[in-house]
Every structure is written in structure tokens, then in C-alpha cells.
Amino acid sequence: MADKTIIITGGAGFIGSHVVRRFVNQYPDYQIINLDKLTYAGNLANLKDIENKPNYRFIKADITNSQQMLDIFTQEQPDGIIHLAAESHVDRSISSPLEFVLTNVVGTVNLLNAARATWKDNYDNHRFYHVSTDEVYGALGKEGMFTEQTAYDPHSPYSASKASSDHFVRAYHDTYGLNTVISNCSNNYGSHHFPEKLIPLAIHNIQHQKPVPIYGKGENIRDWLFVEDHARAIDLIYHQAASGSTYNIGGHNEWTNIDLIRLLCKIMDEKLNRTPGSSAQLITFVTDRAGHDLRYAIDADKLEKDLGWKPSLRLEEGLEKTVDWYLSNQDWLNNVTSGDYQKYYEQQYSGR
Ligand code: NAD
Ligand code: DAU
């Protein structure tokens, strides 16, 4: 009998696969269930190294299906859930907002309802962990940082849907007493990141000598965190945070997009034995993202003080590791950039 059964939603995606890997390896006595619909962003190849471990199982399911969620909770009687399944790309939310409402808001409420129904006799020993984003706080000017007290002010359909799901999780804690915890994290990077997002898209384009699209003037600032540091934070928070609490997670690693891409070009020139400066010539400024948030920066002091967490890598180190992973996993990259990806790329970038 497993010590604990934990459902991880979105475990076939970028961050979810790192969280699944960490829990499966770190806790051999737990039963880890990866619940994922396998959308374009979900890929079981992300979990090849752990898929045969006895404490891992995959269930293909859709969080927008309320009955299916209730059936899975009833059948599996999980001790906890770590909820990462979502539509996660801001640009896609601008063209298809309703999908973000369905998956991110309705999907989260379906899971809250399934948890409530299954755990009603003992909320205290069952944890609902909701993984969220710093984008719910809106945009910063040149100064300041997001703390756990910053008022929500989302701007994109994606961040509005995540903000709404956060509010529902808090409402289920305050109204029904569900044992919940929320974390709001900054931009992640690392292996298995789908190449619709800036860093893997740029690695792919530089490798194939294609233009690297930079929105606007490249002056927007993001706070980058190595994905394995995020998974480590989620592990600590899942096990140690108080019910009803919120934690910000961030890298203390602020970079403008243009400086980040220049650094990436330099690393790629070195790794691919290209003339220094040649990859930077691929940088192409294109029409800005609508409603583009200027700056995100996370104050993660509470997480450090309460649980002793700190990021382990600076961007320079993590980016080099990330480039190495992509260059030695060409099959992975070729698989995810064939088929529908080409159509998406055309729609997103032609005429920009
Ligand atoms: P991702 O897009 O790589 O993965 C999302 C996963 O969710 C995929 O495996 C997909 O198949 C699954 N999924 C989507 N719809 C589903 C549905 N209806 N039912 C079941 N599964 C479904 O996303 P990611 O970048 O790994 O982000 C994971 C979570 O972390 C999201 O909730 C996101 O908001 C949050 N987050 C992401 C970042 C980041 O930098 N990527 C930062 C902070 C927070
Ligand atoms: O802050 C956390 C968020 O980080 C997560 O909640 C989201 O799920 C995740 O996608 C990410 O959102 P961003 O919009 O910041 O990530 P993205 O990689 O799409 O873009 C990073 C920055 O680069 C942003 O300022 C937009 C810019 N950009 C992006 C793309 C795809 C470009 O300049 N060109 C591009 O082609």
C-alpha cells in the first residue's frame, strides 16, 4: 500500500513533467498519478526516464469533464493533488480566450468540486495545491516587486483566467474549509519547454538559421527561474505550507528580452562553432504583443524565510545547461516542431 497517492495534473507538460519526475524519484513510497489530456503541449516523451517506475501511473483525462474528474477521485481516493494542467501560452490566449476560461477556470473548479466531494469527511489530511503564475499581479514599472500582498491586476486573457482560478481556490478554502495552497511563480526555463515560448523558440530558430522574433523593442523584463528549482519549491510547499497560504516563487534573475536573446546567441555561437556574432544577426524586431506586460519581478522572501528555499542557478548557468539539452535531444525537438507546430508558427508570425 503506497504511503500517499498524489494526482499531478498537467504532468506531461513542461513544468508538470519536472514535478512528476521529482516526486517519483524522491518519494518511492508515494503513488504518483499523472492526469493529463495530452493537448499539443502534453508529451509523454517528457517522462521516458520514469515511465516504468512502479510508483508512477498515467491517466489520460480532461479536467473540463466534471464527471470524469469525480470518477477518478472516487476511484483513486488521492491524498492530495498538485494542479498544473492549463492552457499556458499568452499569445494563444489572445487569439482563443474561451479555451483558457474552459481549461483554466472551469477545469480548476471541476477539480475543486471533485476534491470537496471525495474529501468531505476529512479536509485536513487532504491537500489541494494550485500552481499559478506571477502574471496575475499585472505589470510592474521600473521599480518594485510582486509580493504575496500585491493586488491582482491581470491584463491578458491567460492571466485573467489564472487569476480567476486562484480566486476560486481561495473561495473553496474560505467557504468550505478545503486545505489549499497556491504558489505564483515567475518565468520558467529548462529542458522539455515547448518551443512556442521565447527561449526554446529562439534556440530552435537560431539552430536552423531562422529569424528570431523579438516583440516590440525587446525592452520587456522577465524574472527567469530554472524549472528544477520550481519543482523543488513545489515539493517543499506541498509538504510544509499552512492551509490557505500563498507563496511567490521567483529567480531574482531579471533580464530584458533583448539582453537574454543576445546572451543566448553568444552561447549558441560557441556551442555550434559559429563565427562570434553571427547568431545575433538573426534577431528581428516584430510587432509587439497586444497588452504586453512591461516587467515582472518576484519577491520570494517569504518562501526563503518560511521554508529555506532559494534558486540554485543564475540564468547564465541554467541557460547553458538548457542549450546543451536541446542540442543533444534533436529527436524531441523535431517531433514537437513537426505537424501542427508549423501551422501555429505561420499564423502567429507571418505578417507580424
Ligand atoms: P504546458 O503548456 O507546458 O503544459 C500544460 C499541460 O496541461 C499539458 O501537458 C497539457 O496536455 C495539459 N492540459 C491542458 N489542458 C488540459 C485539460 N483540459 N485536461 C488535462 N490536461 C490538460 O504548461 P507549463 O508551462 O508547464 O505550465 C504548467 C502550469 O504552471 C500552468 O498552470 C501555468 O499556468 C503555470 N506556470 C507556468 C509558468 C511558466 O513559465 N511556464 C510559470 C508560472 C506558472
Ligand atoms: O511569468 C510566468 C509566465 O511566463 C507563465 O505564467 C506563462 O505560462 C509562460 O508562458 C510565461 O509567459 P510569458 O508571456 O512571459 O512567456 P513567453 O515565453 O511567451 O514570452 C517571454 C517574453 O518574450 C515576453 O515578454 C514576450 C516575449 N516574446 C515571446 C515570444 C514567444 C518575444 O519577444 N518573442 C516571441 O516570439
Side-chain angles (χ1 to χ4, degrees), residues 88 133-135 158 187 198 213 215 222 257 289 292 349:
S88 68
T133 171
D134 61 355
E135 300 202 10
Y158 163 70
N187 286 63
L198 179 67
Y215 297 162
R222 296 291 181 266
N257 291 338
R289 173 184 277 173
H292 197 172
Y349 292 98

Side-chain angles (χ1 to χ4, degrees), residues 2 47 155 160-161 243 272 295 304:
L47 292 162
H155 298 137
S161 69
S243 176
L272 297 169
R295 173 172 166 253
E304 184 177 347

Side-chain angles (χ1 to χ4, degrees), residues 88-91 133-135 158 185-188 193 196-199 201 213-215 220 222 224 257 289 292-293 296 349:
S88 68
H89 191 35
V90 173
D91 290 328
T133 171
D134 61 355
E135 300 202 10
Y158 163 70
C185 188
S186 63
N187 286 63
N188 285 216
H193 201 182
E196 64 187 349
K197 310 282 168 55
L198 179 67
I199 290 179
L201 183 143
I214 302 293
Y215 297 162
N220 303 71
R222 296 291 181 266
W224 293 95
N257 291 338
R289 173 184 277 173
H292 197 172
D293 287 335
Y296 304 143
Y349 292 98

Side-chain angles (χ1 to χ4, degrees), residues 288-306:
D288 208 352
R289 173 184 277 173
H292 197 172
D293 287 335
L294 177 65
R295 173 172 166 253
Y296 304 143
I298 279 279
D299 176 344
D301 277 4
K302 182 183 172 198
L303 184 55
E304 184 177 347
K305 274 200 204 101
D306 287 4

Side-chain angles (χ1 to χ4, degrees), residues 71-131:
D71 291 346
I72 291 170
F73 267 71
T74 308
Q75 166 82 28
E76 303 295 343
Q77 294 291 320
D79 296 278
I81 177 168
I82 304 177
H83 172 39
L84 295 105
E87 288 293 336
S88 68
H89 191 35
V90 173
D91 290 328
R92 290 186 194 251
S93 81
I94 294 169
S95 44
S96 314
L98 191 56
E99 279 188 38
F100 284 68
V101 178
L102 291 175
T103 302
N104 299 356
V105 185
V106 177
T108 301
V109 175
N110 285 339
L111 290 169
L112 287 164
N113 284 339
R116 227 189 118 203
T118 313
W119 298 339
K120 59 181 183 306
D121 295 330
N122 186 353
Y123 284 155
D124 288 350
N125 290 337
H126 297 90
R127 166 138 287 183
F128 193 109
Y129 184 160
H130 178 58
V131 175

Side-chain angles (χ1 to χ4, degrees), residues 283-342:
I283 293 174
T284 307
F285 294 96
V286 301
T287 309
D288 208 352
R289 173 184 277 173
H292 197 172
D293 287 335
L294 177 65
R295 173 172 166 253
Y296 304 143
I298 279 279
D299 176 344
D301 277 4
K302 182 183 172 198
L303 184 55
E304 184 177 347
K305 274 200 204 101
D306 287 4
L307 306 182
W309 178 93
K310 268 191 199 176
S312 72
L313 289 182
R314 291 182 315 129
L315 181 82
E316 292 87 332
E317 302 160 292
L319 203 52
E320 187 157 344
K321 271 167 92 104
T322 303
V323 169
D324 285 340
W325 186 84
Y326 278 92
L327 294 181
S328 43
N329 286 277
Q330 290 296 304
D331 285 352
W332 185 92
L333 198 54
N334 291 340
N335 280 338
V336 301
T337 52
S338 61
D340 280 353
Y341 180 79
Q342 300 299 336

Side-chain angles (χ1 to χ4, degrees), residues 139-170:
L140 292 163
K142 291 213 175 339
E143 302 293 321
M145 288 181 146
F146 298 134
T147 72
E148 288 82 359
Q149 276 71 48
T150 303
Y152 277 29
D153 183 22
H155 298 137
S156 72
Y158 163 70
S159 52
S161 69
K162 291 296 290 188
S164 172
S165 62
D166 291 11
H167 289 319
F168 272 102
V169 173
R170 286 202 182 91

